[in-house]
Amino acid sequence: MAFSIDDILPTPAVPTIATTSPTCTADGFSELTNYDATLTYTFTPAGPLVDATGLITGMTIGTSYTVTASMQHVQADSAHLVMQKDN
């Protein structure tokens, strides 16, 4: 019986989060600047989602989130984000 062992899967990059504060004329937003469509992004606690451009939606002000990138059972280190209200 012959078999082969697949190569080791690469570890995804740690998610990089950038936040733009709101202005008088535009809403603020957060995004994954190193978004990769081949990865799955998981938030703890659950709620936020990442769209096809890396834009994060569904966060609640005052909540601290951890986001993890994974691919086929390989997981990156986590990034942390706190959604805060500007004064």
Side-chain angles (χ1 to χ4, degrees), residues 13-58:
V14 174
T16 303
I17 302 166
T19 299
T20 300
S21 296
T23 66
C24 294
T25 59
D27 291 336
F29 62 92
S30 292
E31 63 183 329
L32 294 174
T33 58
N34 62 341
Y35 174 77
D36 182 339
T38 65
L39 302 177
T40 300
Y41 295 93
T42 306
F43 287 83
T44 305
L49 299 173
V50 180
D51 73 9
T53 66
L55 184 67
I56 302 170
T57 60

